[in-house]
Amino acid sequence: MKKLFLLALMLGFIAANASAVSVELLNISISVNNEGYAGITENYFLKFTSPFEEDDFKQKAVGNSSSLLSWEASYNFFYPRFAESAGNELDTSSIIYDEGSKTLTLKYALKKTFAALLREEQRANFFRINDRQFASFNEGGTIVIPEGTNIQLTLPTNSELQSDPPENAIVNGNQIILRGIQTNALTIDYKALKPIASNPFEIFTDNSGIYFILLPVLIIVAIFAYIKREEVEQRIEDYLVKHSEIKPRTEDEDIELSDI
């Protein structure tokens, strides 16, 4: 009986430690640039069963430091959601634990693009975010983003959606919030508009553009020249007289005749 009691106590201790740390909320921010690369931040808001378990977590946080492998070995809930499972690799990463808010933060950048370039046009580039980017949320062929997980996807500021967002998704300008979603397909198509005059000389590739710029300038120069024509003529005459080798003779200058 005593052995059974000790075994039950041990199993209870193990179970308590297994559930000592849980994720109360997971917020993920994905920021995509004009080339399709992404910077990702995953914020894990943690919950502890007791102050003792929190102290134990703090000690592990110091020991694990910024080692992603150490953190993954310590806690199975902690891993980059958009890296290996999505067929991508980490370029850089950092890990910070904030004791005040009990938030474990993982920041990383990916080596490959998050959004694939489909085609380029003169005024816009077209991109697609494929289902495989959400492979870590795939459950038996269905992509499930639970209520306790918020994914905020921020596209470039000059972008426009080209496909319908998933059901229950919240679209606010260039931001898409995914939460409480269950779907068989999660593909996001968008286009990133190019600046109208990204090249300062681009306007001169069009004849109408160069005439539009030069015509007002030529008109202003012509008007100015007409108003100042007499002053300009006088200045030219004075310049020629001043720099001429033949100087005008004064009236009282005597003319000397050579002896015959």
Side-chain angles (χ1 to χ4, degrees):
M1 180 67 72
K2 186 176 181 180
K3 290 183 178 180
L4 290 176
F5 176 77
L6 291 175
L7 179 61
L9 186 62
M10 184 178 297
L11 291 174
F13 178 79
I14 294 174
N17 275 274
S19 60
V21 183
S22 60
V23 179
E24 198 167 29
L25 179 64
L26 172 59
N27 282 344
I28 302 176
S29 299
I30 306 171
S31 181
V32 185
N33 65 15
N34 288 322
E35 286 74 39
Y37 290 92
I40 302 173
T41 300
E42 300 185 6
N43 288 311
Y44 298 78
F45 294 87
L46 305 179
K47 182 179 180 180
F48 302 96
T49 56
S50 68
F52 302 102
E53 302 303 339
E54 185 174 358
D55 290 339
D56 180 65
F57 181 87
K58 292 177 183 178
Q59 293 178 6
K60 287 185 178 179
V62 174
N64 291 341
S65 186
S66 294
S67 173
L68 181 57
L69 292 176
S70 297
W71 278 105
E72 289 178 330
S74 299
Y75 303 98
N76 57 9
F77 64 79
F78 187 81
Y79 61 94
R81 295 316 198 256
F82 298 92
E84 293 181 6
S85 59
N88 215 324
E89 297 179 23
L90 295 185
D91 187 18
T92 59
S93 67
S94 64
I95 301 172
I96 299 174
Y97 176 64
D98 182 72
E99 295 184 12
S101 61
K102 300 179 182 179
T103 305
L104 184 61
T105 300
L106 169 63
K107 292 184 178 181
Y108 57 95
L110 301 172
K111 288 185 178 181
K112 300 178 183 178
T113 56
F114 184 82
L117 177 63
L118 298 179
R119 68 181 187 276
E120 294 185 71
E121 293 185 1
Q122 184 178 3
R123 292 303 181 190
N125 291 333
F126 291 78
F127 293 88
R128 171 172 293 170
I129 300 174
N130 283 305
D131 296 83
R132 70 171 182 271
Q133 299 296 351
F134 301 91
S136 63
F137 298 94
N138 193 311
E139 297 181 6
T142 302
I143 297 175
V144 179
I145 301 176
E147 290 292 342
T149 299
N150 298 322
I151 300 178
Q152 179 178 293
L153 177 62
T154 303
L155 303 175
T157 54
N158 56 340
S159 62
E160 296 178 359
L161 280 177
Q162 298 294 288
S163 61
D164 294 331
E167 188 177 357
N168 296 331
I170 301 173
V171 179
N172 184 15
N174 65 319
Q175 291 187 343
I176 305 172
I177 298 176
L178 306 174
R179 177 179 63 246
I181 291 176
Q182 184 172 341
T183 179
N184 294 326
L186 209 170
T187 299
I188 300 173
D189 290 343
Y190 69 93
K191 68 176 180 180
L193 302 176
K194 296 179 181 179
I196 295 177
S198 58
N199 186 341
F201 299 101
E202 184 178 345
I203 191 171
F204 296 107
T205 60
D206 185 358
N207 290 334
S208 61
I210 189 171
Y211 292 141
F212 181 81
I213 294 295
L214 292 181
L215 185 58
V217 176
L218 293 174
I219 293 174
I220 294 174
V221 171
I223 294 174
F224 182 83
Y226 179 79
I227 296 174
K228 296 291 185 178
R229 68 186 187 284
E230 294 183 359
E231 181 180 344
V232 172
E233 291 175 357
Q234 184 62 45
R235 289 187 177 184
I236 293 174
E237 182 178 347
D238 293 343
Y239 179 86
L240 293 176
V241 171
K242 182 178 179 180
H243 294 81
S244 177
E245 294 181 357
I246 303 175
K247 297 182 179 180
R249 178 178 61 84
T250 58
E251 294 181 358
D252 57 349
E253 183 179 356
D254 294 332
I255 300 176
E256 297 182 359
L257 301 177
S258 59
D259 295 337
I260 299 176

